[in-house]
Amino acid sequence: MLQQSGEIADGSQIDADLVIIGAGAAGITMAHSLRDSGLRIVVLESGGETYDDAMQDLYRGRIIGVPNEPLHDSRLRFFGGTTNHWAGWCRPLEAVDFEGPEPWPFGRSDMQSHYEQAAMLCELGPARFDAMDFWQAQAGGEELTPLATQPDKLETAIFQISPPTHFGERYGGDLQAAANVTVILDATALSLTPADGHDPNQDRKRIAGVEVRSLDGRRFSVRGRAVVVATGGLETPRLLLHSTNVHPAGAGNERDLVGRYFQDHAWLPQAAYLSFAQPGTDLPLYFEEHQLAGATMFGTLASSAQTKVRDDVGGFRIVLQPSSQSQLGFDSAQQLVDGISDGRVPNNFWDHVGSIFGDLDLLADKGYRGAFGTPDSPFRSAPSSVDPIDGAWVDINFEQTPNRDSRVRLDGAADAVDAFGQRRIVMDWQLNDRDRRTANRALDLLAEEVGRLGLGRLRVLEGMTDLATRWPDRLTGSRHHMGTARMADDPAAGVTDANGRVHSTENLYICGSALFPSSGYANPTLTIVALALRQAEHLAQQLSQRDG
């Protein structure tokens, strides 16, 4: 059943076996998986069925540290969460991601069956990601030839693209029809409430449920035998830190770990330009999306397990964007202007001059159109579908090293409150020297491999070679908020155990990307869904045992 909070009496109490806070990919997956379990499930969604400015405003917060996307622009607060607008790129994490310097409390093999189920929920094709022989055997797959890179340096990594699946639209009907599931919309969780006889100094505490409020001021509570917080990598620590009735520092925050180890996938668009030795070079596996075996797939170049271990770097993926007209001259002109404005001569000065002379026609075209505000110019050649591919722009997307000082906390400023009077958050995104090494190593390995293969020459753009001293202005995040309530076997190292249960609270669970001890280079949604399926199995077992 889907229900509006306006249908609930002010001051009332609702009882359930399981309370799930948040109806994005994680919360909907868990509720959907348990819809035939017989458990009484209440799902609380802060937003409504569609986008609303007032709801979205609850996400506003402040960013310090490395610049990132504005918080209220990076997520969506209505039924289905940010799956209402996502790119759909899906790939499992690698085995090495579970075993690195910040290990997960279980291995990649423990996730295999859940990844297969998650692929179906995300409406992907067969979960055969890197099985190139499978893709090549499909009709139209014959042309998909991976580059013969040295496998201990770079490897081809296959992504699949979800339609993308909007979880609220796709699975809302199933939840509506489920006799044991009630989804309450416009129901914002303000804080977790302790159980009767609560002692904040106990090693193993219990909570009773959650205090809820609607935008029209209605208040009610939902009590559950177990409570799952599935509100994403930013709102999860926010709710825990607001729950000072559970512990003075916030629920689960006895060791000052809630909100720490915030991670995002750092994105360097157009970090380099690959000029092909042979004009017209085509790399269809990497340049295009392909419809094969009911899947939409494409290839990237990525770090190998050996590279991560040998070079002590994070994972990375390299996305190649084909170009039929070089943009190096325009980029060089911009960098010369920036350098002169700063009173310095950019590195590789004569290379820039050469690029400018080589692309004078394109520069004249851009200048004319900019000066006269017209889409046409006498310098522009008519576009041609047969223009040969000149090269490829290189985008780098890489794993952030888990860092205790990269964190999300409550904002102490007097005016930093939302419509409910709740403190907004401050996101302090911090990248470190290992992250610089990861980005540099990705570019170095690509340059080595394209040279060895005779594919062409890689030119790293100005500022990318200065990673030892500063991050370039073009660096941004990927809106993949992870790690702020991380899993670990040791309570001193993480907020939850391997099942997502908060170490200090026996009936409080976290679900979603906040759990990630490390992030790999793959987009997180497929792993979020797989984790939710894994946790649903655990919770069904735990709650049924208590019934017995």
Side-chain angles (χ1 to χ4, degrees):
M1 176 173 65
L2 266 66
Q3 184 177 15
Q4 296 289 336
S5 60
E7 303 171 40
I8 298 171
D10 189 31
S12 63
Q13 175 182 302
I14 299 170
D15 293 317
D17 295 311
L18 179 64
V19 182
I20 301 173
I21 305 171
I28 288 178
T29 295
M30 181 173 285
H32 187 266
S33 178
L34 295 171
R35 69 192 186 283
D36 296 323
S37 64
L39 298 172
R40 295 171 301 155
I41 299 170
V42 171
V43 181
L44 300 173
E45 167 53 44
S46 177
E49 289 190 78
T50 58
Y51 177 89
D52 180 85
D53 284 333
M55 294 294 187
Q56 192 67 17
D57 185 76
L58 298 173
Y59 274 146
R60 287 187 184 274
R62 191 156 53 94
I63 296 173
I64 60 177
V66 179
N68 207 320
E69 297 292 321
L71 302 186
H72 61 284
D73 290 339
S74 62
R75 295 156 293 157
L76 289 174
R77 202 178 189 104
F78 63 102
F79 186 52
T82 306
T83 69
N84 287 297
H85 186 189
W86 65 302
W89 288 19
C90 289
R91 179 178 172 81
L93 295 179
E94 313 292 329
V96 69
D97 297 330
F98 290 82
E99 303 161 359
E102 300 284 345
W104 290 50
F106 47 84
R108 171 66 172 77
S109 60
D110 295 317
M111 289 283 283
Q112 183 58 38
S113 64
H114 304 298
Y115 270 133
E116 292 170 1
Q117 291 176 270
M120 290 188 286
L121 286 174
C122 292
E123 300 180 288
L124 306 180
R128 301 291 301 275
F129 291 88
D130 291 340
M132 280 308 305
D133 55 346
F134 170 78
W135 300 113
Q136 290 170 331
Q138 307 303 313
E142 309 84 10
E143 64 176 355
L144 302 184
T145 303
L147 290 170
T149 55
Q150 297 181 81
D152 66 331
K153 293 185 176 180
L154 293 178
E155 59 188 17
T156 294
I158 301 299
F159 281 75
Q160 290 192 43
I161 305 178
S162 171
T165 303
H166 298 162
F167 274 59
E169 294 178 8
R170 179 64 181 82
Y171 300 112
D174 292 342
L175 299 184
Q176 172 82 38
N180 67 319
V181 178
T182 300
V183 178
I184 305 176
L185 303 175
D186 183 16
T188 298
L190 299 185
S191 66
L192 303 169
T193 55
D196 294 340
H198 172 77
D199 180 352
N201 296 313
Q202 287 177 318
D203 291 336
R204 293 288 294 273
K205 294 177 272 291
R206 284 188 63 82
I207 61 171
V210 57
E211 293 297 317
V212 184
R213 189 172 169 188
S214 63
L215 272 182
D216 67 1
R218 192 179 306 265
R219 292 177 180 268
F220 58 95
S221 63
V222 183
R223 297 175 66 92
R225 294 161 55 204
V227 175
V228 176
V229 180
T231 52
L234 300 183
E235 292 296 301
T236 291
R238 185 183 184 199
L239 177 59
L240 295 179
L241 292 171
H242 270 121
S243 300
T244 53
N245 286 337
V246 178
H247 186 271
N253 199 33
E254 290 83 357
R255 297 175 184 263
D256 188 26
L257 291 173
V258 170
R260 293 191 180 272
Y261 297 98
F262 169 76
Q263 298 157 60
D264 195 355
H265 288 126
W267 185 263
L268 283 170
Q270 297 191 349
Y273 189 82
L274 170 57
S275 296
F276 290 134
Q278 296 294 326
T281 296
D282 192 11
L283 303 173
L285 176 60
Y286 307 94
F287 287 173
E288 305 164 24
E289 297 173 5
H290 303 273
Q291 309 292 326
L292 301 172
T296 302
M297 54 81 73
F298 69 96
T300 68
L301 293 171
S303 51
S304 65
Q306 296 96 318
T307 291
K308 288 190 67 173
V309 174
R310 179 188 63 237
D311 299 334
D312 186 24
V313 295
F316 58 82
R317 64 177 172 198
I318 298 167
V319 180
L320 300 177
Q321 306 280 358
S323 173
S324 59
Q325 286 188 318
S326 169
Q327 299 292 309
L328 288 176
F330 181 76
D331 186 83
S332 288
Q334 184 66 55
Q335 291 181 51
L336 286 179
V337 169
D338 290 346
I340 292 169
S341 299
D342 293 341
R344 61 181 176 83
V345 177
N347 296 333
N348 306 314
F349 175 82
W350 291 110
D351 286 343
H352 288 309
V353 172
S355 295
I356 290 170
F357 275 100
D359 290 341
L360 276 177
D361 55 339
L362 296 175
L363 287 167
D365 171 60
K366 286 179 182 287
Y368 185 94
R369 289 186 289 117
F372 293 99
T374 174
D376 301 310
S377 86
F379 304 101
R380 165 170 277 195
S381 301
S384 170
S385 60
V386 297
D387 284 347
I389 295 173
D390 175 81
W393 287 105
V394 176
D395 293 353
I396 306 292
N397 197 219
F398 60 93
E399 175 185 16
Q400 178 183 350
T401 301
N403 176 359
R404 180 182 170 87
D405 294 328
S406 184
R407 67 182 300 193
V408 172
R409 57 177 174 81
L410 299 182
D411 195 334
D415 60 348
V417 293
D418 65 16
F420 295 120
Q422 299 281 93
R423 303 229 65 81
R424 297 189 186 272
I425 61 172
V426 175
M427 186 178 80
D428 187 0
W429 189 29
Q430 295 292 331
L431 299 172
N432 62 22
D433 288 342
R434 187 171 183 268
D435 301 322
R436 299 178 195 278
R437 189 162 68 249
T438 297
N440 275 322
R441 191 58 180 145
L443 292 167
D444 288 346
L445 285 173
L446 181 62
E448 292 172 12
E449 287 298 281
V450 298
R452 185 185 64 82
L453 293 170
L455 190 62
R457 179 173 178 268
L458 189 74
R459 176 178 155 191
V460 178
L461 301 189
E462 182 77 19
M464 300 303 130
T465 55
D466 294 337
L467 291 177
T469 57
R470 68 180 183 90
W471 290 107
D473 293 338
R474 69 182 69 194
L475 179 138
T476 187
S478 300
R479 307 181 182 189
H480 300 162
H481 308 136
M482 303 168 284
T484 48
R486 67 205 308 244
M487 293 184 288
D489 287 329
D490 184 353
V495 176
T496 82
D497 66 12
N499 294 309
R501 184 186 62 77
V502 172
H503 282 295
S504 60
T505 310
E506 63 183 35
N507 64 335
L508 175 60
Y509 290 78
I510 310 299
C511 184
S513 58
L515 289 174
F516 290 20
S518 62
S519 60
Y521 64 78
N523 296 52
T525 302
L526 188 67
T527 300
I528 290 171
V529 173
L531 271 177
L533 292 166
R534 182 178 184 274
Q535 288 180 277
E537 288 183 1
H538 171 78
L539 282 164
Q541 181 182 41
Q542 292 295 109
L543 293 173
S544 64
Q545 285 177 351
R546 292 178 199 173
D547 285 338

Short mmCIF file of all heavy atoms in Angstrom, two decimals, residues 331-376:
data_model
loop_
_atom_site.label_atom_id
_atom_site.label_comp_id
_atom_site.label_asym_id
_atom_site.label_seq_id
_atom_site.Cartn_x
_atom_site.Cartn_y
_atom_site.Cartn_z
N ASP A 331 41.95 24.31 -26.73
CA ASP A 331 42.40 24.07 -25.35
C ASP A 331 43.75 24.76 -25.10
O ASP A 331 43.96 25.37 -24.06
CB ASP A 331 42.53 22.57 -25.10
CG ASP A 331 42.84 22.28 -23.64
OD1 ASP A 331 41.91 22.24 -22.83
OD2 ASP A 331 44.03 22.10 -23.33
N SER A 332 44.65 24.69 -26.07
CA SER A 332 45.97 25.33 -25.92
C SER A 332 45.83 26.84 -25.83
O SER A 332 46.51 27.49 -25.02
CB SER A 332 46.87 24.95 -27.10
OG SER A 332 47.28 23.61 -27.00
N ALA A 333 44.97 27.42 -26.68
CA ALA A 333 44.77 28.86 -26.63
C ALA A 333 44.26 29.29 -25.26
O ALA A 333 44.72 30.29 -24.68
CB ALA A 333 43.80 29.29 -27.73
N GLN A 334 43.30 28.53 -24.72
CA GLN A 334 42.74 28.85 -23.41
C GLN A 334 43.81 28.76 -22.33
O GLN A 334 43.89 29.62 -21.44
CB GLN A 334 41.58 27.91 -23.09
CG GLN A 334 40.87 28.22 -21.78
CD GLN A 334 40.16 29.56 -21.83
OE1 GLN A 334 39.35 29.81 -22.72
NE2 GLN A 334 40.49 30.45 -20.91
N GLN A 335 44.67 27.76 -22.42
CA GLN A 335 45.69 27.58 -21.39
C GLN A 335 46.78 28.64 -21.49
O GLN A 335 47.32 29.08 -20.47
CB GLN A 335 46.27 26.17 -21.50
CG GLN A 335 45.26 25.11 -21.10
CD GLN A 335 45.82 23.71 -21.18
OE1 GLN A 335 46.88 23.44 -20.64
NE2 GLN A 335 45.10 22.83 -21.87
N LEU A 336 47.10 29.07 -22.69
CA LEU A 336 48.06 30.17 -22.83
C LEU A 336 47.49 31.46 -22.24
O LEU A 336 48.20 32.19 -21.53
CB LEU A 336 48.42 30.37 -24.30
CG LEU A 336 49.35 29.33 -24.94
CD1 LEU A 336 49.58 29.66 -26.40
CD2 LEU A 336 50.67 29.24 -24.20
N VAL A 337 46.22 31.73 -22.50
CA VAL A 337 45.59 32.92 -21.95
C VAL A 337 45.57 32.85 -20.42
O VAL A 337 45.90 33.82 -19.73
CB VAL A 337 44.16 33.09 -22.51
CG1 VAL A 337 43.40 34.17 -21.73
CG2 VAL A 337 44.20 33.43 -23.97
N ASP A 338 45.19 31.68 -19.88
CA ASP A 338 45.16 31.52 -18.43
C ASP A 338 46.54 31.70 -17.82
O ASP A 338 46.70 32.35 -16.77
CB ASP A 338 44.61 30.14 -18.06
CG ASP A 338 43.13 30.00 -18.37
OD1 ASP A 338 42.47 31.03 -18.61
OD2 ASP A 338 42.64 28.85 -18.39
N GLY A 339 47.55 31.12 -18.47
CA GLY A 339 48.91 31.22 -17.94
C GLY A 339 49.43 32.64 -17.95
O GLY A 339 50.01 33.13 -16.96
N ILE A 340 49.20 33.36 -19.06
CA ILE A 340 49.66 34.74 -19.15
C ILE A 340 48.94 35.60 -18.12
O ILE A 340 49.53 36.48 -17.48
CB ILE A 340 49.45 35.27 -20.58
CG1 ILE A 340 50.40 34.53 -21.54
CG2 ILE A 340 49.68 36.77 -20.66
CD1 ILE A 340 50.11 34.76 -23.00
N SER A 341 47.64 35.33 -17.93
CA SER A 341 46.88 36.08 -16.92
C SER A 341 47.44 35.87 -15.52
O SER A 341 47.39 36.76 -14.67
CB SER A 341 45.41 35.67 -16.96
OG SER A 341 44.83 35.94 -18.21
N ASP A 342 47.99 34.67 -15.28
CA ASP A 342 48.58 34.36 -13.97
C ASP A 342 50.04 34.76 -13.87
O ASP A 342 50.69 34.51 -12.85
CB ASP A 342 48.47 32.85 -13.69
CG ASP A 342 47.03 32.40 -13.51
OD1 ASP A 342 46.17 33.28 -13.25
OD2 ASP A 342 46.76 31.19 -13.64
N GLY A 343 50.58 35.35 -14.95
CA GLY A 343 51.97 35.76 -14.94
C GLY A 343 52.95 34.62 -15.07
O GLY A 343 54.07 34.71 -14.55
N ARG A 344 52.57 33.56 -15.78
CA ARG A 344 53.47 32.42 -15.95
C ARG A 344 53.39 31.92 -17.38
O ARG A 344 52.44 32.20 -18.11
CB ARG A 344 53.10 31.28 -14.99
CG ARG A 344 51.70 30.75 -15.20
CD ARG A 344 51.33 29.63 -14.23
NE ARG A 344 49.95 29.22 -14.40
CZ ARG A 344 49.53 28.36 -15.31
NH1 ARG A 344 50.44 27.79 -16.14
NH2 ARG A 344 48.26 28.03 -15.43
N VAL A 345 54.40 31.19 -17.77
CA VAL A 345 54.42 30.54 -19.07
C VAL A 345 54.03 29.08 -18.88
O VAL A 345 54.69 28.36 -18.13
CB VAL A 345 55.82 30.62 -19.73
CG1 VAL A 345 55.82 29.87 -21.05
CG2 VAL A 345 56.22 32.07 -19.93
N PRO A 346 52.95 28.63 -19.51
CA PRO A 346 52.52 27.24 -19.30
C PRO A 346 53.58 26.25 -19.75
O PRO A 346 54.43 26.56 -20.61
CB PRO A 346 51.26 27.13 -20.17
CG PRO A 346 50.79 28.53 -20.36
CD PRO A 346 52.03 29.37 -20.38
N ASN A 347 53.54 25.07 -19.17
CA ASN A 347 54.42 24.00 -19.61
C ASN A 347 54.15 23.68 -21.08
O ASN A 347 53.06 23.90 -21.59
CB ASN A 347 54.19 22.74 -18.77
CG ASN A 347 54.57 22.95 -17.32
OD1 ASN A 347 55.42 23.77 -17.00
ND2 ASN A 347 53.91 22.21 -16.43
N ASN A 348 55.18 23.16 -21.77
CA ASN A 348 55.02 22.74 -23.18
C ASN A 348 54.52 23.88 -24.05
O ASN A 348 53.63 23.72 -24.89
CB ASN A 348 54.07 21.54 -23.29
CG ASN A 348 54.49 20.38 -22.40
OD1 ASN A 348 55.66 20.02 -22.37
ND2 ASN A 348 53.53 19.84 -21.67
N PHE A 349 55.12 25.07 -23.86
CA PHE A 349 54.68 26.27 -24.56
C PHE A 349 54.63 26.07 -26.06
O PHE A 349 53.64 26.39 -26.72
CB PHE A 349 55.61 27.44 -24.21
CG PHE A 349 55.31 28.71 -24.97
CD1 PHE A 349 54.30 29.56 -24.54
CD2 PHE A 349 56.03 29.04 -26.11
CE1 PHE A 349 54.02 30.72 -25.24
CE2 PHE A 349 55.76 30.20 -26.81
CZ PHE A 349 54.75 31.05 -26.37
N TRP A 350 55.70 25.52 -26.65
CA TRP A 350 55.75 25.39 -28.11
C TRP A 350 54.79 24.32 -28.62
O TRP A 350 54.28 24.42 -29.75
CB TRP A 350 57.18 25.11 -28.57
CG TRP A 350 58.06 26.31 -28.36
CD1 TRP A 350 59.06 26.46 -27.46
CD2 TRP A 350 57.95 27.56 -29.05
NE1 TRP A 350 59.60 27.72 -27.52
CE2 TRP A 350 58.94 28.43 -28.50
CE3 TRP A 350 57.11 28.06 -30.05
CZ2 TRP A 350 59.11 29.74 -28.94
CZ3 TRP A 350 57.30 29.36 -30.50
CH2 TRP A 350 58.28 30.19 -29.95
N ASP A 351 54.50 23.31 -27.79
CA ASP A 351 53.46 22.36 -28.19
C ASP A 351 52.11 23.06 -28.31
O ASP A 351 51.32 22.78 -29.24
CB ASP A 351 53.35 21.22 -27.17
CG ASP A 351 54.52 20.24 -27.26
OD1 ASP A 351 55.21 20.26 -28.29
OD2 ASP A 351 54.70 19.47 -26.30
N HIS A 352 51.83 23.96 -27.37
CA HIS A 352 50.59 24.72 -27.44
C HIS A 352 50.54 25.57 -28.71
O HIS A 352 49.51 25.64 -29.39
CB HIS A 352 50.45 25.62 -26.21
CG HIS A 352 50.13 24.88 -24.95
ND1 HIS A 352 49.10 23.99 -24.85
CD2 HIS A 352 50.72 24.92 -23.71
CE1 HIS A 352 49.06 23.50 -23.62
NE2 HIS A 352 50.03 24.05 -22.91
N VAL A 353 51.64 26.25 -29.02
CA VAL A 353 51.68 27.09 -30.21
C VAL A 353 51.43 26.25 -31.47
O VAL A 353 50.67 26.62 -32.36
CB VAL A 353 53.03 27.83 -30.32
CG1 VAL A 353 53.16 28.54 -31.66
CG2 VAL A 353 53.17 28.82 -29.16
N GLY A 354 52.05 25.07 -31.52
CA GLY A 354 51.85 24.19 -32.66
C GLY A 354 50.40 23.75 -32.79
O GLY A 354 49.85 23.68 -33.90
N SER A 355 49.75 23.45 -31.65
CA SER A 355 48.35 23.04 -31.70
C SER A 355 47.46 24.17 -32.19
O SER A 355 46.49 23.96 -32.94
CB SER A 355 47.89 22.59 -30.30
OG SER A 355 48.58 21.44 -29.89
N ILE A 356 47.78 25.39 -31.77
CA ILE A 356 46.98 26.54 -32.20
C ILE A 356 47.07 26.72 -33.72
O ILE A 356 46.06 26.90 -34.40
CB ILE A 356 47.44 27.81 -31.46
CG1 ILE A 356 47.04 27.72 -29.98
CG2 ILE A 356 46.85 29.06 -32.11
CD1 ILE A 356 47.66 28.79 -29.11
N PHE A 357 48.28 26.67 -34.28
CA PHE A 357 48.44 26.81 -35.73
C PHE A 357 47.76 25.66 -36.47
O PHE A 357 47.19 25.85 -37.54
CB PHE A 357 49.92 26.89 -36.10
CG PHE A 357 50.48 28.29 -36.00
CD1 PHE A 357 51.22 28.67 -34.89
CD2 PHE A 357 50.24 29.21 -37.00
CE1 PHE A 357 51.72 29.96 -34.79
CE2 PHE A 357 50.74 30.51 -36.90
CZ PHE A 357 51.48 30.89 -35.79
N GLY A 358 47.79 24.48 -35.87
CA GLY A 358 47.17 23.34 -36.53
C GLY A 358 45.65 23.42 -36.57
O GLY A 358 45.01 22.82 -37.44
N ASP A 359 45.06 24.17 -35.65
CA ASP A 359 43.61 24.25 -35.56
C ASP A 359 43.10 25.68 -35.76
O ASP A 359 42.07 26.08 -35.21
CB ASP A 359 43.13 23.74 -34.19
CG ASP A 359 43.31 22.25 -34.03
OD1 ASP A 359 43.45 21.57 -35.05
OD2 ASP A 359 43.31 21.77 -32.88
N LEU A 360 43.80 26.48 -36.58
CA LEU A 360 43.43 27.88 -36.77
C LEU A 360 42.00 28.03 -37.31
O LEU A 360 41.27 28.95 -36.94
CB LEU A 360 44.41 28.58 -37.72
CG LEU A 360 45.71 29.11 -37.08
CD1 LEU A 360 46.60 29.70 -38.16
CD2 LEU A 360 45.41 30.15 -36.00
N ASP A 361 41.59 27.11 -38.20
CA ASP A 361 40.25 27.23 -38.76
C ASP A 361 39.17 27.04 -37.70
O ASP A 361 38.16 27.74 -37.68
CB ASP A 361 40.06 26.22 -39.91
CG ASP A 361 40.35 24.79 -39.48
OD1 ASP A 361 41.06 24.60 -38.46
OD2 ASP A 361 39.88 23.86 -40.17
N LEU A 362 39.40 26.09 -36.78
CA LEU A 362 38.44 25.86 -35.71
C LEU A 362 38.40 27.04 -34.73
O LEU A 362 37.34 27.44 -34.25
CB LEU A 362 38.77 24.57 -34.96
CG LEU A 362 38.67 23.28 -35.77
CD1 LEU A 362 39.14 22.11 -34.94
CD2 LEU A 362 37.24 23.06 -36.23
N LEU A 363 39.58 27.60 -34.43
CA LEU A 363 39.64 28.74 -33.53
C LEU A 363 38.93 29.94 -34.14
O LEU A 363 38.20 30.68 -33.46
CB LEU A 363 41.09 29.09 -33.22
CG LEU A 363 41.81 28.12 -32.27
CD1 LEU A 363 43.30 28.38 -32.29
CD2 LEU A 363 41.27 28.28 -30.86
N ALA A 364 39.13 30.16 -35.45
CA ALA A 364 38.46 31.27 -36.11
C ALA A 364 36.95 31.08 -36.08
O ALA A 364 36.19 32.03 -35.86
CB ALA A 364 38.96 31.39 -37.55
N ASP A 365 36.51 29.85 -36.28
CA ASP A 365 35.08 29.55 -36.25
C ASP A 365 34.49 29.84 -34.87
O ASP A 365 33.46 30.50 -34.74
CB ASP A 365 34.86 28.09 -36.63
CG ASP A 365 33.43 27.63 -36.42
OD1 ASP A 365 32.53 28.22 -37.03
OD2 ASP A 365 33.23 26.71 -35.61
N LYS A 366 35.15 29.35 -33.83
CA LYS A 366 34.65 29.57 -32.47
C LYS A 366 34.65 31.06 -32.13
O LYS A 366 33.71 31.57 -31.52
CB LYS A 366 35.51 28.81 -31.46
CG LYS A 366 35.28 27.30 -31.45
CD LYS A 366 36.20 26.64 -30.43
CE LYS A 366 36.02 25.13 -30.42
NZ LYS A 366 34.75 24.75 -29.78
N GLY A 367 35.72 31.76 -32.52
CA GLY A 367 35.81 33.19 -32.22
C GLY A 367 34.73 34.00 -32.91
O GLY A 367 34.11 34.89 -32.32
N TYR A 368 34.48 33.70 -34.19
CA TYR A 368 33.46 34.42 -34.95
C TYR A 368 32.08 34.20 -34.35
O TYR A 368 31.31 35.14 -34.15
CB TYR A 368 33.49 33.96 -36.41
CG TYR A 368 32.56 34.73 -37.33
CD1 TYR A 368 33.02 35.82 -38.06
CD2 TYR A 368 31.22 34.37 -37.45
CE1 TYR A 368 32.17 36.53 -38.90
CE2 TYR A 368 30.35 35.07 -38.28
CZ TYR A 368 30.84 36.15 -39.00
OH TYR A 368 29.99 36.85 -39.82
N ARG A 369 31.75 32.93 -34.06
CA ARG A 369 30.43 32.64 -33.52
C ARG A 369 30.24 33.25 -32.14
O ARG A 369 29.15 33.71 -31.79
CB ARG A 369 30.21 31.13 -33.47
CG ARG A 369 30.03 30.52 -34.85
CD ARG A 369 29.67 29.04 -34.81
NE ARG A 369 30.78 28.20 -34.39
CZ ARG A 369 30.80 27.46 -33.29
NH1 ARG A 369 29.75 27.46 -32.49
NH2 ARG A 369 31.85 26.73 -33.00
N GLY A 370 31.32 33.29 -31.34
CA GLY A 370 31.23 33.90 -30.02
C GLY A 370 31.07 35.41 -30.10
O GLY A 370 30.30 36.01 -29.35
N ALA A 371 31.78 36.05 -31.02
CA ALA A 371 31.75 37.50 -31.12
C ALA A 371 30.41 38.01 -31.65
O ALA A 371 29.90 39.04 -31.21
CB ALA A 371 32.88 37.99 -32.03
N PHE A 372 29.81 37.27 -32.59
CA PHE A 372 28.59 37.75 -33.24
C PHE A 372 27.33 37.01 -32.79
O PHE A 372 26.23 37.29 -33.28
CB PHE A 372 28.75 37.65 -34.77
CG PHE A 372 29.79 38.57 -35.31
CD1 PHE A 372 31.07 38.10 -35.60
CD2 PHE A 372 29.52 39.92 -35.51
CE1 PHE A 372 32.05 38.95 -36.09
CE2 PHE A 372 30.49 40.78 -36.00
CZ PHE A 372 31.77 40.30 -36.29
N GLY A 373 27.49 36.05 -31.86
CA GLY A 373 26.33 35.36 -31.32
C GLY A 373 25.52 34.62 -32.37
O GLY A 373 24.29 34.64 -32.34
N THR A 374 26.19 33.97 -33.29
CA THR A 374 25.52 33.28 -34.38
C THR A 374 25.98 31.83 -34.44
O THR A 374 27.14 31.54 -34.11
CB THR A 374 25.80 33.96 -35.73
OG1 THR A 374 25.24 33.17 -36.79
CG2 THR A 374 27.30 34.09 -35.96
N PRO A 375 25.11 30.90 -34.83
CA PRO A 375 25.54 29.50 -34.95
C PRO A 375 26.36 29.23 -36.19
O PRO A 375 26.93 28.15 -36.33
CB PRO A 375 24.21 28.73 -34.99
CG PRO A 375 23.24 29.71 -35.57
CD PRO A 375 23.66 31.07 -35.08
N ASP A 376 26.40 30.19 -37.11
CA ASP A 376 27.13 30.00 -38.37
C ASP A 376 28.31 30.96 -38.47
O ASP A 376 28.33 32.01 -37.83
CB ASP A 376 26.19 30.23 -39.56
CG ASP A 376 25.01 29.28 -39.54
OD1 ASP A 376 25.24 28.07 -39.39
OD2 ASP A 376 23.86 29.76 -39.65
#
